Amino acid sequence: MAPFVTLAVIVAISSFISIGGVAFLVLRPIAINTASDTELRNLREAMSQLRRNVATLSSDVAANRAAFDTANRASSDRFGRLVQSVERVERDQSISATRVERMAEAKPPVARTVAAASSPEITGTIQPQPRPTSARREIIQGWRVRRAYEDVAILEGPAGVIEVARGQDVPNLGRIEEIKNENGGWQVWTSKGVVPSAR
């Protein structure tokens, strides 16, 4: 606002000077007839210069106002696009989370049904799967566990976000051997190492 206030003050001063000059010419006593042509010419030139200055200042004010309006519109457009992008990302995350939760809720009953149906056919003892050795507990770089449920985990890595289940073979990770919660965070143990929790 400081440039606009300065311009307004200059325009007001110029206007007062112009009005004073005109009043001086109109109200001056008869002695004005004796004034030299040089003084009148100088006064006219001064008034012409003042008019030109006022016109220049008015043009500058109009140009600054137009530039300000343009910048304001551009900022508003950018802000609107940013808000739309954030809303779209939040909506996509909400949809993805809802799908994952539905899949997790649907899978445990199926697993229990399969176990119940297959239990009468078991005639021998099932050997527990060996836990990964210390050599397999090496952290797999670039992969993190975002969420996990019973024998199902959502992993994030260089290939994007994928869903894995126990016993599944995953490229670059090997066979999924165990999904467990350890020290307050989920871990996925594979034949090539351990995928730690994202938190």
Side-chain angles (χ1 to χ4, degrees), residues 75-91:
S75 299
S76 299
D77 292 342
R78 285 195 296 269
F79 181 75
R81 287 195 295 270
L82 178 61
V83 170
Q84 290 177 355
S85 300
V86 170
E87 290 176 350
R88 185 168 53 252
V89 170
E90 291 178 349
R91 186 169 54 252

Side-chain angles (χ1 to χ4, degrees), residues 108-121:
V110 174
R112 285 194 293 270
T113 303
V114 172
S118 58
S119 57
E121 301 176 1

Side-chain angles (χ1 to χ4, degrees), residues 15 20 22 27 29 50 52-53 73 76 81 84 91 110-111 115 130 142 148 157-158 163 166 181:
S15 300
V22 172
L27 302 177
L50 286 173
R52 286 194 295 271
N53 291 340
R73 284 195 298 271
S76 299
R81 287 195 295 270
Q84 290 177 355
R91 186 169 54 252
V110 174
E163 178 183 337
R166 186 174 179 179
N181 192 333

Side-chain angles (χ1 to χ4, degrees), residues 12-190:
I13 292 173
S14 301
S15 300
F16 284 132
I17 292 174
S18 300
I19 293 171
V22 172
F24 177 78
L25 290 176
V26 173
L27 302 177
R28 191 174 181 185
I30 301 176
I32 196 172
N33 294 328
T34 61
S36 64
D37 294 338
T38 303
E39 292 178 353
L40 292 175
R41 191 179 307 112
N42 291 339
L43 185 58
R44 290 193 187 96
E45 290 177 356
M47 292 184 64
S48 298
Q49 183 64 34
L50 286 173
R51 290 193 186 96
R52 286 194 295 271
N53 291 340
V54 170
T56 302
L57 291 173
S58 299
S59 300
D60 292 343
V61 169
N64 289 333
R65 184 175 299 167
F68 178 77
D69 291 341
T70 302
N72 192 19
R73 284 195 298 271
S75 299
S76 299
D77 292 342
R78 285 195 296 269
F79 181 75
R81 287 195 295 270
L82 178 61
V83 170
Q84 290 177 355
S85 300
V86 170
E87 290 176 350
R88 185 168 53 252
V89 170
E90 291 178 349
R91 186 169 54 252
D92 293 343
Q93 288 180 348
S94 176
I95 293 173
S96 300
T98 302
R99 289 178 179 172
V100 170
E101 290 174 359
R102 288 178 181 172
M103 291 184 338
E105 291 174 357
K107 286 194 175 183
V110 174
R112 285 194 293 270
T113 303
V114 172
S118 58
S119 57
E121 301 176 1
I122 297 176
T123 55
T125 55
I126 299 175
Q127 297 295 330
Q129 292 185 354
R131 299 175 71 87
T133 62
S134 58
R136 293 182 182 175
R137 293 185 184 181
E138 186 173 305
I139 300 296
I140 300 177
Q141 299 297 326
W143 288 90
R144 293 289 181 270
V145 180
R146 293 183 63 179
R147 292 187 184 182
Y149 304 93
E150 297 179 7
D151 294 333
V152 178
I154 307 298
L155 305 182
E156 181 178 13
V161 178
I162 60 173
E163 178 183 337
V164 298
R166 186 174 179 179
Q168 179 181 351
D169 289 322
V170 181
N172 301 324
L173 294 178
R175 185 177 183 82
I176 306 300
E177 295 180 349
E178 191 170 4
I179 300 172
K180 64 178 184 175
N181 192 333
E182 191 169 272
N183 297 328
W186 286 96
Q187 293 182 353
V188 175
W189 289 20
T190 73

